[in-house]
Amino acid sequence: MLDARNAYTHLKNKLKDFPVKDDVLLKQTSLYITDMRSLHNIANEFNLFRRMVDENKNEAKIFAVIFYKNIYTQDYSLIDKEAGGLYFFIKNYCLKKLQENYFSSLNERESNLSAKLEKLKKSQHHHLLM
């Protein structure tokens, strides 16, 4: 019987040579694997593709795509129709929109923190004068 408590152990046993440095990926994703059929599909597909793609250099990335494909099948199948969450995420990443949004929010946060710092400096200066 497979459940969230033992899915990681089953997955780890099926992916014997999975890089130890990416072990946390297996731990996190195993929480979403709810049945043995999905676990077998993910492990078998990963073991097949890891030998064919990129000479085992990006196993974590290959595993992540295969995991998503098997767990979020409906969204993954929408890629062909240029729809779905994964499609829009990848599209926005390629168009650098994700990066722009991230850095603009960082710039906004930096401005807010700088304004607060200036306010504190003025307040401290005011206190020293009294």
Side-chain angles (χ1 to χ4, degrees), residues 42-90:
I42 291 167
N44 290 338
E45 198 170 338
F46 173 74
N47 285 326
L48 174 70
F49 278 97
R50 76 194 302 189
R51 285 182 249 130
M52 295 170 42
V53 179
D54 207 25
E55 299 173 6
N56 297 343
K57 291 179 184 171
N58 290 303
E59 288 181 311
K61 291 177 184 178
I62 294 167
F63 177 81
V65 170
I66 290 169
F67 168 81
Y68 194 87
K69 176 184 174 270
N70 281 276
I71 300 300
Y72 300 101
T73 308
Q74 187 174 6
D75 187 65
Y76 187 86
S77 68
L78 292 173
I79 292 172
D80 291 338
K81 297 175 183 158
E82 296 183 356
L86 182 60
Y87 172 78
F88 285 108
F89 178 81
I90 292 171

Side-chain angles (χ1 to χ4, degrees), residues 36-129:
M36 194 60 88
R37 183 189 57 78
S38 294
L39 188 134
H40 285 297
N41 288 346
I42 291 167
N44 290 338
E45 198 170 338
F46 173 74
N47 285 326
L48 174 70
F49 278 97
R50 76 194 302 189
R51 285 182 249 130
M52 295 170 42
V53 179
D54 207 25
E55 299 173 6
N56 297 343
K57 291 179 184 171
N58 290 303
E59 288 181 311
K61 291 177 184 178
I62 294 167
F63 177 81
V65 170
I66 290 169
F67 168 81
Y68 194 87
K69 176 184 174 270
N70 281 276
I71 300 300
Y72 300 101
T73 308
Q74 187 174 6
D75 187 65
Y76 187 86
S77 68
L78 292 173
I79 292 172
D80 291 338
K81 297 175 183 158
E82 296 183 356
L86 182 60
Y87 172 78
F88 285 108
F89 178 81
I90 292 171
K91 179 181 177 184
N92 286 327
Y93 177 81
C94 290
L95 295 174
K96 304 229 185 283
K97 288 183 180 180
L98 294 177
Q99 297 89 325
E100 289 170 11
N101 290 341
Y102 177 75
F103 286 114
S104 68
S105 70
L106 280 180
N107 290 338
E108 184 179 320
R109 186 164 184 224
E110 179 187 28
S111 295
N112 290 338
L113 290 172
S114 292
K116 285 180 183 179
L117 181 61
E118 285 303 313
K119 220 175 184 181
L120 287 170
K121 284 180 181 178
K122 286 180 183 177
S123 174
Q124 184 181 24
H125 181 70
H126 181 67
H127 268 35
L128 289 174
L129 292 177

